[in-house]
Amino acid sequence: AKIIGYYNFLAENIHSQDIPFYTHSQFSASSVHAGENFADISYKKYLDYFDKLLNLPIDSIGHGVFLWIPDDSINYSKKVNKQRRELLKRVVEKNIELEICPTSNLLFSPLKSYRDIPFNFFNKIGLKYSVNTDNMTILSTDIKTEWEKVLDFR
């Protein structure tokens, strides 16, 4: 419960410099839903958000598309893309798993195809990831369908 409350606080106060941080002993295993939607947050806020988020003792990030979306799928400067890659490197170094939800990731980001999800890149950099469904009811999908999409487009 603490991590969810903290996540909500962090999301609401993303631009605040006075965000408290907690020690690892104050949390159990945790996953944070972040970096999925490109419509309601600027890249500057995302960079700041992920920088702060990666200082928390989290085990996984639901989506994280902002960190891994291929450079040619978005219109960010080389500097911003480099900053995204540095954050993704921290994810790998901290052994944080990314929960990839293909249908959701395609719907809520600039990705144009399931083929744009860079699984080979994930493997190359040693990123720990899983394939998930996100919201099965709203998105009319299940884990079998998500894996079929991933395997069909690899």
Side-chain angles (χ1 to χ4, degrees):
K2 278 187 183 178
I3 190 68
I4 300 304
Y6 186 71
Y7 168 71
N8 290 339
F9 174 81
L10 186 58
E12 292 166 8
N13 296 281
I14 193 79
H15 23 311
S16 173
Q17 299 299 316
D18 302 319
I19 295 175
F21 286 95
Y22 298 99
T23 64
H24 194 292
S25 64
Q26 293 172 288
F27 294 102
S28 57
S30 57
S31 178
V32 178
H33 188 272
E36 175 186 20
N37 188 339
F38 283 70
D40 62 352
I41 190 166
S42 73
Y43 73 85
K44 290 178 184 177
K45 287 182 180 179
Y46 260 145
L47 289 169
D48 183 55
Y49 177 76
F50 275 104
D51 182 54
K52 291 175 179 168
L53 182 66
L54 293 173
N55 287 313
L56 295 174
I58 58 173
D59 299 297
S60 63
I61 297 173
H63 304 289
V65 180
F66 173 77
L67 299 176
W68 58 258
I69 190 169
D71 296 351
D72 59 358
S73 294
I74 51 174
N75 193 24
Y76 292 148
S77 69
K78 287 182 181 181
K79 179 181 176 184
V80 171
N81 287 332
K82 182 179 178 194
Q83 291 172 299
R84 290 185 317 111
R85 294 294 172 254
E86 288 169 358
L87 289 167
L88 188 59
K89 182 180 177 187
R90 286 175 56 195
V91 169
V92 172
E93 289 169 352
K94 292 184 75 163
N95 201 32
I96 296 170
E97 177 182 318
L98 289 186
E99 301 163 5
I100 309 301
C101 304
T103 298
S104 178
N105 295 160
L106 195 64
L107 289 172
F108 297 109
S109 78
L111 294 170
K112 293 178 177 47
S113 166
Y114 294 102
R115 192 172 277 121
D116 294 336
I117 301 172
F119 290 104
N120 289 334
F121 173 68
F122 297 162
N123 294 332
K124 179 180 177 182
I125 66 170
L127 179 70
K128 189 166 74 171
Y129 65 90
S130 60
V131 174
N132 302 276
T133 60
D134 202 10
N135 191 321
M136 295 185 331
T137 305
I138 293 175
L139 299 175
S140 298
T141 191
D142 57 41
I143 195 65
K144 180 179 182 270
T145 303
E146 294 299 287
W147 270 107
E148 287 171 349
K149 290 174 183 176
V150 167
L151 295 173
D152 284 348
F153 287 95
R154 286 185 85 186

